[in-house]
Amino acid sequence: MRVPLSWLAEYVELVPGTTPEEVHAALVEVGLEEEDVHTFEVQGPIVVGEVLEFVEEPQSNGKTIRWCQVRVAPDGPSTGSGTDVEGPAVRGIVCGARNFFPGDKVVVTLPGAVLPGPFPIAARKTYGHVSDGMIASARELGLGDDHEGILRLATLGIDAPVGTDAIALLGLDDAAVEINVTPDRGYAFSIRGVAREYAHATGGRFRDPVEQSSPAAVPEPVEGATADAFPVEVRDEAPIRGRVGSSVFATRIVRGVDPKRPTPAWMVARLKLAGIRSISVLVDITNYVMLELGQPIHGYDLDRLRGGIVVRRATPGETMETLDGKVRTLHPEDLLITDDRGPIGLAGVMGGAETEMSDATTNVLIEAANFDPVSIARTARRHKLPSEASKRYERGVDPQIAAAAATRVAQLMVDLAGGTADVGGSLIHEAAGRESIELPSGYVSELIGVEYTDDEVHDALAEIGGIITATETGFEVVPPSWRPDLTGRADLAEEVARIAGYHRIPSVLPVAPPGRGLTRSQRVRRRVADTLAAAGATEVLSFPFSTEAENGTYGSADGEPVASVRLANALDASTALLRRSLLPGLIGAARRNRSRGLNDLSLFEVGLVFLPETGRTYGTPGLPIGDARPSDDELAELQAGIPPQPRHVGVLLVGDVVTKQSGQPAVPAGIVDALDAVRQIGLATGAEFEFVQGSHQAMHPGRTAELRLMGRPVGYAGELLPALAEEADLPRVVAVVELDLDAVIELTDPAVEARAIGTYPAATQDLSLLVDRAVPAASVAAAVREGAGELLEDLHLVDDYRGQGIPEGSKSLTFALRFRAADRTLTAAEASEAKLAGAGVAAERFGAKIRD
């Protein structure tokens, strides 16, 4: 939300000379976040000038320029309304625009001025003349996007003396502070709301624009409707969550407006600083009041309406054309504004094209309504149509200000567009009153940790607009209508802390109770992440959303159909499922990074996947009511209602793991690196994985290892299927790993301790075994390790030979063995005995023979 300071000063005391930084600091004290400061970025001298005469001069490039004589200072003594202009009163200026005439008042930027950009102005020779300044357009001044011609002050309804300071005249000396408005504080999407917060912070007097009396010419409508009021009906037969779509609907009629009148300069400047483009006087007025009061306004061309207005839900297959020119197919939940011909607006989101105000509009119907936040939020997201109106409605609009806002718009249309307001109007007001909240004495102090007296609590809640009644046990508080976020006593306690000042809350680090800390699973997960990061990988966090194709490809090893969890309100309809695998997210991260020139990547992620059982319906009985911890039975029931959500770890390597350098060729990533990543995870978890030949439909056949632990499959490692890699704009070889980390933690012994470093010498021997080619080397190694017993300290494969001298269908596996005893120096005979024992187990299981 951008807040022009001149506008803010109308409703709260603002000391003259207050800087935007000081306003930001005050708003931060009451919990609003500062974002930025916006100005027009102009410097003088910029003055009002009068075009005396000009000569049109065709140029060789086909362009015709005007050599103008412009008066920039009065002939007589200064009136005190202008700026001191040095140099001649009449300047020669070259101008390429052709939309002005002798006698027009224009904005002249003189040498030394600076326009947004920055664009410094100086006298310079051009087209055979020395142009002593520039006649400015609205876009060059930062007032709008119009650059087709220079800004004629008459189009803004301004007739100021020559030499007047144009910066002050056009409001270009104003500044706006930008704040971040969190979803629970929608009231701050208005000058009214921010002015109230600034008053809380500084103690300045707040003047509520809603409470200011309406001009006698435009009385506010009363509940119901006058005899000549426009007919309105709310007919919501399918409310969402039992909440009717519109609880308040106010209308006013203004006749005889002139839509071609210029929007005043002060309004154009304020709208521009607030981030709104000036369109026309009628549209600008509706936007102005929306920013001022926080109440979205819609104006209809009254003569283009047919019959009365009905607020209803859409019917299946119904369509409408919105103001952006798009024809939209409507959903039965969409709330519509309709007349006798059908839909004329998406309620609270965007109006329809058929009844919009235009340059031909003379009679206007003003609408100020209050719509259900959930309904508006769903419609805006469903149609991908965020708007300034929906942004306010979905956060909650004050239901008590609709009539005042409609009246304010009517008054401005009378004043600025020359219209005449009908007497009265219609007002449907069925908004429920706020329920009181019981606030026990001492509750605020106990929750916040600061001693507050009852008077301090009372005064703070009264200051935010609450209605407070003292009771025997504390207070009954009715929150103000503009604060729908205040629903419980904890919310009220937070308001007391905010208004009394966050500086009173001490900064104390809580002491952890003894016997607590991270669980074993948490420690192991952190150790895995630390180990992979220490090995050179970068952790990424991807969205847990996936497509149907991704879940079918990566979430199923054998290609069988799988079930997925579908989101009820997805951010993107194309990724409306929760992921079954971490690999799509890692692949997407690799693709984005490579598109930005980062070709050698080692990425990992630790996150949840969602694996519902096929054919089973999930659902929870509802969250327990209250602030007490649910019982174990309640937690078990809740857990049973959601699909399994194991935590996986995924790794992806692409590009070179060793870059090319002097004397060293590049080493590309491959299956070896994937298996090494698994070994790193094994070191972090204490797991000894078994690698067996595996298959996965998303991975390269023949270059995929199934990872087992205690005989149970826990994941896969290998290379991505080349076709999938090519589809993702990645190289053909992409090494990937995905492990069920929860299963690994469950299957590892938490009592396993690190092996002590032996102090006695080691005995090393090699063992070469002939086995059938189909026997995995890992299985042979496991058999040797089991047979060799405790004396075997280390075993690893050093050779897999299948050449000359080896029987057909066989292979020779050579293992390097290291033996060590903890209490003595081993003899060669003891080491040989252990080696032969290991070979014996391999022979028994796989028919292995010791190779000579």
Side-chain angles (χ1 to χ4, degrees):
M1 174 68 187
R2 297 183 181 184
V3 183
L5 298 191
S6 65
W7 205 349
L8 182 68
E10 291 188 4
Y11 301 120
V12 66
E13 290 179 340
L14 202 63
V15 177
T18 301
T19 65
E21 290 73 21
E22 290 171 336
V23 173
H24 261 154
L27 295 176
V28 167
E29 290 183 7
V30 288
L32 295 174
E33 301 175 12
E34 65 175 290
E35 287 289 333
D36 204 351
V37 174
H38 300 272
T39 65
F40 284 102
E41 300 178 346
V42 296
Q43 297 178 22
I46 302 177
V47 300
V48 174
E50 181 183 2
V51 179
L52 300 178
E53 61 179 358
F54 58 78
V55 177
E56 294 192 344
E57 299 180 355
Q59 303 297 311
S60 59
N61 60 4
K63 181 178 181 180
T64 299
I65 62 99
R66 287 179 174 182
W67 172 237
C68 309
Q69 300 301 310
V70 184
R71 185 180 300 281
V72 297
D75 287 331
S78 173
T79 62
S81 62
T83 183
D84 294 332
V85 177
E86 298 181 359
V90 178
R91 306 289 180 101
I93 298 176
V94 173
C95 184
R98 307 184 67 183
N99 68 321
F100 59 94
F101 308 94
D104 277 345
K105 298 286 185 67
V106 295
V107 177
V108 180
T109 58
L110 298 173
V114 179
L115 295 179
F119 180 56
I121 303 298
R124 64 189 183 94
K125 187 172 183 179
T126 179
Y127 293 107
H129 301 282
V130 175
S131 185
D132 199 11
M134 186 180 79
I135 306 175
S137 68
R139 191 173 76 173
E140 289 164 339
L141 293 169
L143 282 173
D145 298 326
D146 185 8
H147 194 55
E148 294 182 358
I150 58 95
L151 176 63
R152 300 167 58 222
L153 293 179
T155 63
L156 298 178
I158 296 175
D159 184 16
V162 169
T164 300
D165 181 6
I167 292 179
L169 180 69
L170 298 177
L172 303 180
D173 55 350
D174 202 0
V177 294
E178 183 177 359
I179 57 173
N180 179 37
V181 179
T182 53
D184 61 327
R185 302 179 73 176
Y187 65 93
F189 267 125
S190 66
I191 304 298
R192 178 196 187 209
V194 176
R196 181 182 282 108
E197 290 299 306
Y198 187 79
H200 295 336
T202 63
R205 186 169 67 88
F206 170 65
R207 298 177 291 275
D208 192 344
V210 173
E211 295 179 358
Q212 295 178 5
S213 59
S214 299
V218 189
E220 289 189 15
V222 296
E223 192 166 346
T226 57
D228 58 348
F230 196 84
V232 176
E233 178 186 357
V234 177
R235 189 191 303 159
D236 188 0
E237 299 174 353
I240 298 177
R241 298 182 180 180
R243 298 180 58 170
V244 68
S246 178
S247 58
V248 179
F249 204 101
T251 65
R252 296 302 307 264
I253 293 176
V254 180
R255 303 181 188 274
V257 297
D258 181 358
K260 297 183 180 180
R261 279 198 182 186
T263 302
W266 57 267
M267 181 177 284
V268 173
R270 286 182 175 180
L271 289 173
K272 177 65 176 178
L273 279 177
I276 301 293
R277 179 173 59 93
S278 176
I279 298 173
S280 68
V281 64
L282 299 180
V283 176
D284 291 349
I285 287 171
T286 61
N287 286 332
Y288 186 85
V289 174
M290 176 187 67
L291 293 172
E292 184 175 65
L293 303 181
Q295 169 67 60
I297 302 290
H298 190 71
Y300 300 91
D301 187 324
L302 180 62
D303 299 325
R304 298 171 69 180
L305 288 170
R306 299 179 185 174
I309 280 181
V310 176
V311 184
R312 62 170 175 83
R313 302 285 175 180
T315 57
E318 200 167 12
T319 63
M320 73 164 289
E321 182 182 352
T322 46
L323 285 175
D324 57 2
K326 294 183 179 180
V327 177
R328 301 179 183 275
T329 301
L330 305 176
H331 187 279
E333 278 190 357
D334 290 337
L335 192 66
L336 303 179
I337 308 297
T338 67
D339 65 2
D340 288 353
R341 90 192 81 188
I344 58 174
L346 273 173
V349 179
M350 184 174 282
E354 294 188 47
T355 57
E356 67 175 317
M357 296 184 294
S358 67
D359 288 345
T361 298
T362 57
N363 301 313
V364 177
L365 175 71
I366 301 164
E367 167 208 302
N370 192 276
F371 298 115
D372 173 45
V374 174
S375 179
I376 302 306
R378 289 184 179 180
T379 295
R381 285 161 177 72
R382 184 180 299 119
H383 295 284
K384 295 182 174 60
L385 197 60
S387 65
E388 290 292 331
S390 66
K391 183 165 61 177
R392 287 163 173 80
Y393 277 127
E394 63 190 33
R395 288 166 170 81
V397 171
D398 186 353
Q400 304 300 327
I401 65 171
T407 299
R408 171 71 165 148
V409 173
Q411 182 62 49
L412 287 173
M413 287 187 177
V414 169
D415 295 342
L416 305 181
T420 302
D422 282 6
V423 176
S426 61
L427 175 61
I428 297 173
H429 197 295
E430 299 176 353
R434 299 297 303 272
E435 294 183 359
S436 63
I437 300 172
E438 181 182 354
L439 187 65
S441 181
Y443 174 81
V444 176
S445 298
E446 180 182 350
L447 183 66
I448 304 300
V450 176
E451 286 298 324
Y452 298 105
T453 66
D454 286 346
D455 287 342
E456 285 181 307
V457 172
H458 179 281
D459 293 346
L461 296 177
E463 186 173 343
I464 67 169
I467 301 174
I468 303 130
T469 304
T471 65
E472 294 182 358
T473 59
F475 299 107
E476 288 282 343
V477 182
V478 179
S481 59
W482 58 85
R483 294 297 302 274
D485 58 306
L486 303 181
T487 58
R489 61 182 64 173
D491 301 323
L492 298 179
E494 182 181 351
E495 289 301 296
V496 173
R498 189 172 68 89
I499 299 301
Y502 290 131
H503 64 278
R504 292 181 58 178
I505 302 175
S507 179
V508 179
L509 186 66
V511 178
R516 301 289 291 274
L518 297 177
T519 65
R520 174 176 174 263
S521 293
Q522 290 171 326
R523 292 195 303 272
V524 173
R525 290 200 298 266
R526 290 192 179 190
R527 195 157 58 238
V528 168
D530 290 344
T531 300
L532 290 173
T538 300
E539 185 172 14
V540 298
L541 294 174
S542 56
F543 283 120
F545 312 128
S546 188
T547 66
E548 193 90 47
E550 288 172 341
N551 274 0
T553 300
Y554 298 96
S556 171
D558 54 10
E560 290 294 322
V562 293
S564 299
V565 177
R566 184 171 295 277
L567 298 170
N569 189 21
L571 292 175
D572 186 339
S574 64
T575 54
L577 305 179
L578 290 177
R579 65 187 177 192
R580 291 183 60 92
S581 169
L582 299 182
L583 294 184
L586 289 169
I587 291 169
R591 181 178 186 174
R592 285 191 297 274
N593 278 275
R594 286 183 63 87
S595 70
R596 289 160 175 78
L598 302 175
N599 296 322
D600 303 326
L601 299 169
S602 177
L603 308 176
F604 78 94
E605 179 173 7
V606 178
L608 297 176
V609 296
F610 306 85
L611 308 176
E613 298 176 12
T614 302
R616 179 175 173 183
T617 302
Y618 294 91
T620 61
L623 296 177
I625 299 174
D627 55 4
R629 182 186 184 277
S631 67
D632 291 342
D633 290 341
E634 288 176 321
L635 289 174
E637 187 177 7
L638 289 170
Q639 191 67 33
I642 59 177
Q645 303 176 39
R647 196 175 301 270
H648 282 200
V649 55
V651 182
L652 180 145
L653 302 102
V654 64
D656 295 335
V657 292
V658 177
T659 58
K660 182 180 179 180
Q661 50 195 296
S662 178
Q664 170 65 58
V667 178
I671 186 174
V672 173
D673 303 287
L675 299 179
D676 186 61
V678 174
R679 294 187 185 97
Q680 296 289 340
I681 296 171
L683 290 174
T685 59
E688 294 187 3
F689 295 104
E690 181 184 359
F691 300 89
V692 299
Q693 184 68 46
S695 63
H696 192 292
Q697 63 170 342
M699 301 179 74
H700 192 301
R703 302 187 71 81
T704 300
E706 182 180 87
L707 309 174
R708 295 180 181 176
L709 188 59
M710 307 292 288
R712 172 178 162 184
V714 293
Y716 291 88
E719 295 177 5
L720 193 64
L721 195 66
L724 294 177
E726 182 179 359
E727 184 180 298
D729 298 323
L730 298 177
R732 286 181 57 83
V733 179
V734 179
V736 293
V737 175
E738 183 161 12
L739 273 167
D740 185 342
L741 189 54
D742 282 351
V744 172
I745 296 172
E746 176 189 344
L747 295 173
T748 52
D749 186 356
V752 172
E753 298 180 356
R755 178 179 295 181
I757 298 176
T759 57
Y760 289 91
T764 59
Q765 296 194 14
D766 290 340
L767 175 62
S768 295
L769 296 174
L770 286 172
V771 295
D772 189 274
R773 288 189 179 186
V775 178
S779 300
V780 178
V784 173
R785 184 179 290 108
E786 180 182 337
E790 295 182 354
L791 294 179
L792 180 62
E793 184 179 76
D794 181 67
L795 175 151
H796 61 275
L797 180 68
V798 295
D799 188 31
D800 182 341
Y801 179 66
R802 311 184 185 197
Q804 186 177 0
I806 302 301
E808 184 68 26
S810 299
K811 60 184 177 182
S812 172
L813 301 177
T814 301
F815 298 95
L817 312 177
R818 185 173 68 236
F819 299 94
R820 194 192 310 267
D823 56 352
R824 67 189 188 280
T825 299
L826 286 178
T827 64
E830 289 177 307
S832 297
E833 182 180 353
K835 178 183 73 172
L836 294 175
V841 174
E844 180 181 336
R845 293 183 182 175
F846 307 111
K849 298 178 181 179
I850 297 178
R851 181 183 173 200
D852 296 335

